[in-house]
Amino acid sequence: MRDGTAIRIRDLHKDFGDVQAVRGIDLDVYEGEIFSLLGPNGAGKPTTINMLSCLLEPTQGEAWVMGHSIRTDSMAVKEAIGVVPQETALYPDLSARENLTFWGKMYGLRGAALRQRVDQVLETIGLTERQKGRVDKFSGGMKRRLNIGIGLLPRPQVLFLDEPTVGIDPQSRRNILDQVKEFNRQGMTILYTTHYMEEAQELSDHIAIMDYGKLIACGTHEELVKIVGELDRIELTINAKSERVLAGWQATQGVHEVSAEDSKITLLVDDSNVVLPRLFEAAVGAGVRITAVEVQEPNLEAVFLHLTDRALRD
Amino acid sequence: MRVIDLAVKDWRQLLRDRQTVFFMAAMPILFTLFFGLIFGSAGGETDPRLPVAVISADSSSSLSGSLLSLLEASEAVRPVVEEGVSAEEAGQWVRDARYAAALFVPAGFGGTVEHLAEGKAERLASNGTIAGDEAMQATLIVDRSTPAGQTAASAIETAVTRLLSAAQIARLATEAFEASVPFEDQAVRQAFHHQALASASEAWREPPISVAVEQAWAAGEDEQSQPNAFAQSSPGMIIQFTIHGLMMTAMILVLERKTGALQRLLPTTMTRTQIIAAKVLGSFVTVFAQQALLVLVGQFAFGVDYLREPVATLAVMAALSLWVTSLGLLIGALARTEEHVHTWSLVAMFFFSALGGAWFPLEYTGKAFNTIGHLTPAAWALDGFQNIVMRGLGLQSVLLPVGIVVAYAVVFFGLAVWRFRFE
């Protein structure tokens, strides 16, 4: 069943009443890799993780983690995984060490083994010096690191990280990304969900893009970028939204996709050097002023835009 | 083992919260003292005897006075002299349980008793009246279908019998004295007779020989178990503040759900049943420990004798802990925010405390309120405690209250498990 596969998902569905949160996913995550689920809010990423963690029963389909069925062998699945939820699921009135000790006990650790593991995890997440501090006095980044530390306690073969960098400062984010790479270097398979394209791009061996509960693309970063070919991505900011200028740009030679969000317009074009002057010309003709221009090489944002006609928003 | 670890974590969180500890331990002690002072005028002892209204129109007679004196000496009833009360009003008081009975003493009653003592046949009617001279009969209004009514009627009948006996003794003594030494005049004879009557009545207040009555199924009251004012306030405040303690159980649950910690327990190989069991254990032990503290304070600081029947006390404490735990679990399952927990817990505390008789004895409130109050488990838990500390009863007397409180706990627990959410 495994063949080097850490996670295998087949036709996985989850419905909440009339809402189809996950609508038929097929996926393979290989042992020792970092696999990112990338998608906007509401794409179904946490629901997928919750099914893989045996927190939710699938409506249809099946998945195996380290060869164990999430439907029939949930205890074995739980013993193989560590879960880091998006929420900082901590006890704020306990210290960092007390939190880790408590969760260690919940994972079945006891005595000297528990103390040793807590010490190791505190060292790994860089909180040894603050181990006695109450968590409600911690910064957002420290809480995130402690949140991750709890997921590491059972020495999981597979670690699920659900949006671990939401709402923290750039320095803490950098720290967490470096830690994730380190966990992976130590042999841990990581399933990482995010809606930050740069994180998925930096970390992942493979990336699956999700939208509205479906997998719309999957592959390495290079494979995904090839979907949009050699298209450049141009982001323009204009002084006032105008249907006339949007129509003009849509009709401009070399433009493939146009998407607008208020005064920010995103375009996929053949060659930005050639197309940009034409865009300025059309704007002048429509009486619109361009106030900012940003040009990017092909990336995951462009892939998402290409596949969904929508920007992958934060 | 992990069930205990999770419960220990809850206790640790609880003990870190000084405000909660203050509300669970210090506040009930302060309130026990406060209500005890209200009930017992600076901690003095209250009179646990059944109140009986005495409406006398024969105040000039020394025999009527002797009857009142004999009633005051009773261990079962406490006469309360009322004036200007109609039979309808007195009947209503008895129906409302304000008085266990009401005794009407008509004008000329004393003369009738003396008349009887001179040789006419006396009769204690079984229909609740004390019949002597048809025109001067005393009337007893009582509900003999209740234990209190039966006790009161019995005590009053005893007092009347003793009064008749004292009158006869006085008459015989007067006649015997007169046979050997004739009185100088009628006034001297009358004075001798009154003196003899007073002595005989006084002798009946404390008979030199009596039969000690002992209930087969409960230990009788001993000197130490005489209830005091705190015997009402201590169990009342135990019930009120253990109900308040459920707020902590519910709050921990809501906060764990809010932070995601409750859901995070699920991938740790703990089952849902184990998690709920841990929550129940944590809350039960907390509430039980709180009660143990308050019982010990009641015992040693306020003289409320819980430990005269330790097994019965433990049974009531365990039942109350189970019910409060179930209620806390239910509120924790239903509440979505901390504000919900605060509001619902306070509503529960005030509702059950007021209706359950934690603030004032339900016996003082009338039959309707008493009946409604006993629809709540709080009233039954209080009955259980009061059977021990006020009525001097034993384990058997708390079995019904404990059973009813446990039944409520089962219902609340079922609802809580049905509505329990992890996210």
Side-chain angles (χ1 to χ4, degrees), chain B residues 105-128:
Chain B
V105 180
F109 176 77
T112 303
V113 172
E114 287 203 49
H115 203 61
L116 287 167
E118 283 168 8
K120 290 189 175 180
E122 69 271 18
R123 174 169 61 90
L124 292 178
S126 60
N127 62 356

Side-chain angles (χ1 to χ4, degrees), chain B residues 33-387:
Chain B
L33 183 64
F34 175 69
F35 275 98
L37 293 177
I38 290 176
F39 287 129
S41 69
E45 296 209 336
T46 56
D47 191 338
R49 297 175 299 170
L50 296 168
V52 172
V54 177
I55 304 101
S56 177
D58 194 39
S59 55
S60 60
S61 163
S62 61
L63 276 169
S64 292
S66 295
L67 176 61
L68 198 61
S69 177
L70 286 166
L71 287 173
E72 278 170 352
S74 165
E75 290 184 355
V77 296
R78 170 169 54 88
V80 179
V81 175
E82 299 280 3
E83 292 178 353
V85 179
S86 69
E88 288 74 21
E89 282 177 285
Q92 189 60 46
W93 287 350
V94 173
R95 280 193 292 279
D96 291 343
R98 177 172 168 182
Y99 288 106
L103 178 65
F104 279 88
V105 180
F109 176 77
T112 303
V113 172
E114 287 203 49
H115 203 61
L116 287 167
E118 283 168 8
K120 290 189 175 180
E122 69 271 18
R123 174 169 61 90
L124 292 178
S126 60
N127 62 356
T129 63
I130 303 161
D133 187 315
E134 283 302 313
M136 300 303 170
Q137 69 177 6
T139 305
L140 180 64
I141 299 175
V142 66
D143 180 0
R144 283 183 182 269
S145 66
T146 65
Q150 290 168 9
T151 304
S154 173
I156 291 166
E157 286 166 3
T158 299
V160 170
T161 304
R162 288 177 175 181
L163 181 68
L164 285 166
S165 171
Q168 283 182 319
I169 290 166
R171 178 179 63 81
L172 291 172
T174 304
E175 287 173 0
F177 187 85
E178 194 171 32
S180 57
V181 183
F183 292 107
E184 290 176 15
D185 54 30
Q186 191 58 29
V188 174
R189 186 182 192 280
Q190 194 70 26
F192 182 90
H193 179 262
H194 279 162
Q195 181 60 40
L197 179 62
S199 298
S201 297
E202 186 60 30
W204 271 121
R205 286 175 64 90
E206 290 183 23
I209 299 173
S210 62
V211 176
V213 178
E214 195 168 301
Q215 285 177 267
W217 46 275
E221 292 182 355
D222 55 30
E223 193 176 341
Q224 287 189 328
S225 72
Q226 288 296 317
N228 62 33
F230 297 114
Q232 165 64 30
S233 67
S234 173
M237 291 306 105
I238 286 178
I239 285 169
Q240 168 163 334
F241 282 92
T242 49
I243 296 173
H244 181 270
L246 67 83
M247 185 186 290
M248 196 60 204
T249 309
M251 191 63 82
I252 289 175
L253 261 179
V254 167
L255 289 175
E256 281 184 317
R257 197 183 297 122
K258 186 178 173 183
T259 61
L262 198 59
Q263 192 178 25
R264 192 173 200 169
L265 287 166
L266 292 173
T268 64
T269 70
M270 274 192 96
T271 64
R272 284 170 161 78
T273 305
Q274 284 177 315
I275 294 169
I276 292 174
K279 292 291 159 194
V280 169
L281 176 67
S283 176
F284 179 87
V285 173
T286 302
V287 174
F288 195 86
Q290 180 194 16
Q291 284 187 77
L293 171 72
L294 298 178
V295 161
L296 290 176
V297 170
Q299 177 80 29
F300 296 111
F302 298 122
V304 182
D305 199 358
Y306 292 101
L307 300 185
R308 55 173 293 279
E309 284 289 341
V311 176
T313 300
L314 284 173
V316 178
M317 288 167 64
L320 180 59
S321 301
L322 269 181
W323 169 60
V324 170
T325 294
S326 302
L327 182 58
L329 202 64
L330 179 61
I331 290 179
L334 295 176
R336 294 187 180 277
T337 64
E338 294 100 303
E339 288 73 25
H340 286 169
V341 172
H342 270 293
T343 306
W344 298 350
S345 299
L346 288 175
V347 167
M349 183 183 79
F350 287 125
F351 176 80
F352 288 114
S353 298
L355 278 183
W359 297 341
F360 39 79
L362 286 179
E363 289 79 8
Y364 292 1
T365 61
K367 203 168 185 177
F369 194 94
N370 197 336
T371 304
I372 292 169
H374 277 87
L375 295 177
T376 70
W380 287 100
L382 194 62
D383 277 356
F385 278 131
Q386 289 182 336
N387 282 349

Side-chain angles (χ1 to χ4, degrees), chain A residues 205-226:
Chain A
D205 297 301
H206 286 93
I207 301 165
I209 300 178
M210 289 186 74
D211 192 35
Y212 291 124
K214 294 186 92 170
L215 219 59
I216 57 175
C218 186
T220 63
H221 176 250
E222 291 72 26
E223 287 168 346
L224 290 173
V225 166
K226 277 183 187 168

Side-chain angles (χ1 to χ4, degrees), chain A residues 55 75 78-79 83-85 87-91 93-94 98 102-103 105-107 110 147 150-151, chain B residues 1-2 5-6 9 12-13 16 256 258-261 263-272 423:
Chain A
L55 297 182
M75 280 298 162
K78 288 177 180 182
E79 285 170 5
V83 180
V84 179
E87 307 88 7
T88 47
L90 307 167
Y91 293 103
D93 46 355
L94 302 184
E98 286 170 336
F102 165 71
W103 286 105
K105 287 176 180 173
M106 294 299 102
Y107 280 112
R110 288 284 178 279
N147 203 34
I150 290 168
Chain B
M1 189 63 188
R2 284 183 297 177
D5 290 331
L6 181 50
K9 188 273 302 169
R12 180 170 290 173
Q13 282 186 287
R16 292 268 164 93
E256 281 184 317
K258 186 178 173 183
T259 61
Q263 192 178 25
R264 192 173 200 169
L265 287 166
L266 292 173
T268 64
T269 70
M270 274 192 96
T271 64
R272 284 170 161 78
E423 70 270 5

